[in-house]
Amino acid sequence: MLAVDTGVVEEWLSEFKTLPEASISSYATNLKDKSALISSLYKVIQEPQSELLEPVCHQLFEFYRSGEEQLLRFTLQFLPELMWCYLAVSASRDLQSSGCIEALLLGVYNLEIVDKEGHSKVLSFTIPSLSKPSVYHEPSSIGSMALTEGALSQHGLSRVVYSGPHPQREMLTAQNRFEVLTFLLLCYNAALSYMPAVSLQSLCQICSRICVCGYPRQQVRKYKGVNSRIPVSSEFMVQMLTGIYYAFYNGEWDLARKAMDDILYRAQLELYPEPLLVANAIKASLPQGAMKSSKEGTRCIQVEITPTSSRISRNAVTSMSIRGHRWKRHEQPENGNDATELGNFIIPEISVTSVAGERTGNGEKSRALAENDVQHLQGVQETATDPRTDSKGMPEIRRQKSVRKMMEDGINSSGRVQF
């Protein structure tokens, strides 16, 4: 560690102690822009034998419990590096060198598991339904989903998973180590959008180191320092993948791809189903041959958008199309199918009542029906007559008389028409 870095860290330690309470808010806002200080703090954490490590850990814990949101996030950005240093020292069985780091991790854990009133927190997570669209999927792209009775009963119901309450810890042991570290990484992932690029780079690097140390792949990665295997839990690896997935689309494509491959490698060796499922899902969703540079800044996730009303096909069956189809049917002529191909002969409508609705006698009714029907048929035949027969005259008169005679003979004394 250079003397310049030591001077920057010592100035930072003394500055906060003499800072008035009214200036803490402005101090916290400007602290994230001090890149030289952040780089020097990383160097201090990476040297477990440094004399500045203990005061730095104490200062970071004071930041975290100050209640100032900017100071809390400033401490969180060093969390991946602190975890790696603790695990590396634990693997070498030199626990005395990690005493201050362990105290800082335990302090942050015990502060996060309780609320402001000191009661235990119970975290809740809502599992999204695949039948509803989200920023990650479209139901139409999944395929046909059978609308069974069970599926309909589950539609609209959200499943909530609870985490907690978590017990307080006074020291880290082999039994509770990854329970505490998994919860701390969960808190880090909750603030991923506020983490700077150097913190995302540290996350990807420590994930690779944790997964390959002590395995043949360590020689490929050329990692030095720790040669023994570091045990990990399935839940801890899932939380690592959560942060790496964010790093993919926020400027760290190369490091995130390397870290994901190493996690997948370790999950295959350990036969952990949860990390295998998440890692393969992330790998399958990555764009092919895109985003090869890691220095192009923040990226976005491309998703399908549910089509709006303007993009619906004209042939789609909607309430308006059904209503319009019904109107077209009502507008068609009711007697359009009554015409026959032979001379367009139309069957007359016969009414047994007069215009006023009064019933008439049989004889009067028969005469009225005969006269009305003959007149109606004469009008139709005159309209449907072939123009080429107009010059003959006599055949047309005989045809009209025959039709009239047929109608008169077909009406019996009771006023009914016989066919």
Side-chain angles (χ1 to χ4, degrees), residues 145-162:
M145 301 179 67
L147 294 178
T148 60
E149 184 178 354
L152 291 175
S153 63
Q154 297 295 328
H155 182 73
L157 299 179
S158 58
R159 182 183 175 188
V160 181
V161 179
Y162 298 95

Side-chain angles (χ1 to χ4, degrees), residues 87-367:
L87 291 174
V89 173
S90 299
S92 62
R93 303 184 183 277
D94 188 10
L95 298 179
Q96 295 181 354
S97 301
S98 63
C100 56
I101 297 179
E102 180 180 348
L104 174 58
L105 295 176
L106 282 172
V108 173
Y109 169 82
N110 289 327
L111 286 176
E112 282 293 337
I113 63 174
V114 296
D115 54 17
K116 295 181 180 179
E117 298 178 356
H119 303 295
S120 298
K121 286 182 181 180
V122 178
L123 304 178
S124 61
F125 307 90
T126 302
I127 299 178
S129 174
L130 293 179
S131 61
K132 296 182 178 180
S134 69
V135 296
Y136 298 104
H137 81 289
E138 282 288 333
S140 59
S141 62
I142 298 177
S144 61
M145 301 179 67
L147 294 178
T148 60
E149 184 178 354
L152 291 175
S153 63
Q154 297 295 328
H155 182 73
L157 299 179
S158 58
R159 182 183 175 188
V160 181
V161 179
Y162 298 95
S163 175
H166 298 274
Q168 290 191 354
R169 303 293 184 183
E170 295 182 357
M171 62 180 300
L172 293 177
T173 62
Q175 289 75 21
N176 63 18
R177 179 178 299 155
F178 278 97
E179 179 184 349
V180 174
L181 294 181
T182 301
F183 183 81
L184 290 176
L185 199 54
L186 174 65
C187 298
Y188 175 84
N189 290 335
L192 272 174
S193 58
Y194 302 101
M195 296 297 105
V198 63
S199 182
L200 296 179
Q201 295 170 8
S202 174
L203 173 67
C204 297
Q205 291 170 357
I206 68 106
C207 288
S208 292
R209 289 178 176 272
I210 290 174
C211 291
V212 303
C213 281
Y215 291 90
R217 199 165 193 168
Q218 183 178 6
Q219 305 299 327
V220 179
R221 299 300 187 194
K222 299 180 180 180
Y223 292 149
K224 300 179 180 179
V226 180
N227 297 321
S228 57
R229 297 180 180 180
I230 299 177
V232 292
S233 65
S234 175
E235 294 79 7
F236 185 75
M237 296 179 72
V238 171
Q239 292 301 324
M240 287 195 298
L241 286 170
T242 304
I244 289 172
Y245 184 57
Y246 179 84
F248 263 112
Y249 297 94
N250 288 271
E252 304 301 332
W253 179 270
D254 297 334
L255 289 176
R257 187 59 183 263
K258 183 188 298 184
M260 189 193 67
D261 291 341
D262 292 338
I263 293 177
L264 193 59
Y265 168 79
R266 180 66 179 271
Q268 291 172 348
L269 294 176
E270 300 286 353
L271 296 179
Y272 285 153
E274 291 85 0
L276 283 172
L277 176 63
V278 176
N280 283 316
I282 293 175
K283 189 174 182 179
S285 66
L286 295 177
Q288 299 294 331
M291 303 183 183
K292 295 183 178 179
S293 176
S294 62
K295 303 299 181 182
E296 296 181 5
T298 304
R299 306 180 189 274
C300 61
I301 302 177
Q302 296 181 357
V303 296
E304 296 181 1
I305 305 299
T306 304
T308 58
S309 58
S310 61
R311 295 176 59 185
I312 297 179
S313 174
R314 294 182 178 180
N315 297 326
V317 179
T318 62
S319 59
M320 291 298 296
S321 64
I322 294 175
R323 191 178 307 170
H325 181 67
R326 194 176 303 162
W327 287 342
K328 290 179 181 179
R329 291 184 60 187
H330 287 307
E331 289 175 359
Q332 292 178 356
E334 297 180 357
N335 298 328
N337 296 328
D338 295 340
T340 62
E341 295 180 359
L342 300 175
N344 293 331
F345 182 80
I346 300 176
I347 300 175
E349 296 181 359
I350 302 175
S351 175
V352 297
T353 59
S354 61
V355 178
E358 297 179 357
R359 191 174 184 86
T360 60
N362 291 337
E364 297 177 359
K365 176 171 56 178
S366 301
R367 289 193 298 271

